[in-house]
Amino acid sequence: MSGRKMLHSALSATLPGWQVVSDARALDAIRRPGAAVMWTAKRAKAPALGLDWFTDEVTLWILTPTDRPADLEDSLDSLLLTVMEALEPLDAFHWETAERGVLAEKFEGYRLTITCAF
């Protein structure tokens, strides 16, 4: 198991209808209501716990299907709040900031670094 797989499973269960993507592939489009795209950015051995314990840093993008400039920020605010509500009860995952950006020079969203110890 990995932090990425655990996060994928948790978000798939709590975000019905969303595109929840955790494999390496390019997206053609974002479906409504939105997408959560993730990958493992870093893995570290947890200190003093042995090789069976890791801390993963997972990059998570929250992406909007909206491309109308007038609706973009409101859509992203709503999608980010939905994901924050899904993450809040999950004790294994921790994040601190969400940074606004563009994924693959095409999709508007927020990027979060999620830390997971397992």
Side-chain angles (χ1 to χ4, degrees):
M1 187 60 92
S2 69
R4 176 187 54 81
K5 285 183 179 181
M6 292 169 54
L7 183 59
H8 179 267
S9 179
L11 292 181
S12 293
T14 58
L15 300 174
W18 280 57
Q19 283 173 272
V20 181
V21 179
S22 68
D23 53 6
R25 63 181 160 116
L27 298 175
D28 295 325
I30 304 299
R31 294 188 316 259
R32 293 195 182 281
V37 177
M38 67 200 77
W39 60 83
T40 303
K42 186 193 299 187
R43 175 171 278 186
K45 181 178 151 264
L49 294 177
L51 289 178
D52 293 338
W53 291 87
F54 295 96
T55 300
D56 279 356
E57 284 186 9
V58 178
T59 300
L60 172 65
W61 278 88
I62 308 306
L63 304 172
T64 180
T66 302
D67 58 1
R68 292 187 55 222
D71 298 332
L72 192 61
E73 297 304 325
D74 288 341
S75 173
L76 284 171
D77 289 347
S78 176
L79 294 172
L80 181 60
L81 179 60
T82 299
V83 172
M84 289 169 32
E85 290 170 341
L87 290 171
E88 190 64 28
L90 304 175
D91 293 334
F93 303 101
H94 175 75
W95 68 278
E96 291 188 14
T97 60
E99 185 176 345
R100 184 75 168 74
V102 179
L103 179 63
E105 299 179 12
K106 185 175 182 180
F107 303 114
E108 299 280 345
Y110 275 104
R111 182 181 68 233
L112 294 84
T113 298
I114 309 289
T115 304
C116 173
F118 61 99

